[in-house]
């Protein structure tokens, strides 16, 4: 079982608001990820991190930003939310090392921007 | 970059029947192929994975096969049960400088009827 936690699970906010989605893992994993998933659709990588002070853009362009100040924490921030940001955001983590390490997902944060 | 195709998009079976989901990938350098199960409102959960040095792997009712030459891999679920109903995602991964980045298929919605 993965120990990766996301808050909030569900959020409805107004256009133009700033929002931070929290993600924490207690497994000591170096690598962390944020995926975006529309309902019933595939997952797209939007951000990832090799470790503390490392952040990289993923395959899907996103207006969100991330930070990695502590190993266990990888928050995602939207400075000014828009309806197009409505989606599910999934945080994940894995160990650094040889290829094929398991990626563990959190339960997801459902964001609706009205 | 890597591209993963997944078929079928929906699959309906009777309880006790077998279910097969197929994926193809484009990058011959991919070396890790996990399968995730996602239940409604939850994050993806790893159910089985296979690495490029293995042709088949089995875990109770679930098995995965890999054909590196043809660049395709499949998930087999035997003796299906209603609780197997979920969306299943395949993924392929290429390790780049020690970092694993998953590319997901588009998902298969499996419905097991009692």
């Amino acid at each position: 079982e993965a120990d990766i936690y996301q808050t909030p699970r569900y959020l409805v906010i107004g256009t133009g608001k700033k929002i931070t989605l929290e993600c924490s893992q207690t497994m000591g994993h170096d690598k962390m990820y944020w995926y975006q998933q529309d309902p019933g659709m595939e997952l797209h990588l939007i951000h990832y991190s090799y470790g503390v002070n490392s952040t990289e853009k993923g395959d899907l362009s996103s207006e969100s930003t991330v930070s990695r100040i502590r190993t266990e924490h990888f928050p995602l921030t939207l400075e000014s939310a828009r309806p197009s940001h409505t989606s599910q955001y999934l945080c994940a983590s894995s160990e650094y090392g040889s290829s094929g390490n398991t990626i563990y997902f959190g339960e997801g944060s459902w964001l609706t921007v009205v | 970059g890597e591209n993963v195709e997944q078929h079928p998009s929906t699959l309906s079976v009777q309880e006790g029947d077998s279910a097969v989901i197929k994926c193809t990938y484009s990058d011959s350098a991919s070396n890790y192929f996990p399968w995730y199960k996602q239940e409604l409102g939850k994050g993806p959960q790893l159910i089985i994975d296979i690495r490029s040095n293995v042709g088949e792997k089995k875990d109770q009712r679930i098995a995965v096969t890999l054909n590196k030459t043809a660049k395709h891999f499949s998930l087999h679920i035997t003796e299906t049960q209603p609780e197997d109903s979920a969306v299943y995602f395949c993924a392929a991964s290429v390790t780049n400088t020690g970092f694993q980045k998953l590319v997901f298929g588009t998902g298969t919605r499996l419905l097991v009827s009692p």
Side-chain angles (χ1 to χ4, degrees), chain B residues 56-71:
Chain B
E56 184 175 358
K57 184 176 179 181
K58 190 173 182 180
D59 183 4
Q60 299 182 344
R61 297 186 297 110
I62 294 173
V64 58
T65 58
L66 171 65
N67 183 326
K68 288 173 56 180
T69 303
K71 289 190 281 188

Side-chain angles (χ1 to χ4, degrees), chain A residues 1 9-10 31 33 35 37 40-43 45 48-50 59 88 90 96-97 99-107 110, chain B residues 4 31-32 36 38 41-46 49 51 87 89 93 95-107 109:
Chain A
E1 289 293 324
R9 288 293 319 280
Y10 304 93
K31 290 183 282 189
Y33 316 75
Y35 284 83
Q37 182 187 30
M41 303 295 286
E42 66 210 271
L43 288 78
L45 181 67
Y48 61 97
S49 168
Y50 289 93
D59 300 321
Q88 180 179 212
L90 290 158
Y96 186 88
S99 63
N101 288 324
T102 301
I103 291 182
Y104 297 97
F105 284 88
E107 293 293 301
W110 285 95
Chain B
V4 178
N31 52 17
Y32 176 61
Y36 286 85
Q38 187 175 27
K42 296 187 176 182
Q45 181 180 11
L46 179 75
D49 57 12
R51 306 189 195 288
V87 179
F89 290 94
S93 172
T95 299
N96 183 13
T97 61
F99 187 86
Q100 175 187 288
K101 194 166 66 169
L102 289 177
V103 176
F104 284 84
T106 50
R109 187 173 301 277

Side-chain angles (χ1 to χ4, degrees), chain A residues 9-51:
Chain A
R9 288 293 319 280
Y10 304 93
L11 181 65
V12 180
I13 62 171
T15 298
K17 297 292 185 183
K18 178 181 179 179
I19 177 65
T20 296
L21 304 180
E22 302 287 348
C23 176
S24 295
Q25 51 97 2
T26 59
M27 297 171 284
H29 288 170
D30 291 304
K31 290 183 282 189
M32 295 190 74
Y33 316 75
W34 277 101
Y35 284 83
Q36 184 174 344
Q37 182 187 30
D38 291 330
M41 303 295 286
E42 66 210 271
L43 288 78
H44 294 285
L45 181 67
I46 53 174
H47 298 284
Y48 61 97
S49 168
Y50 289 93

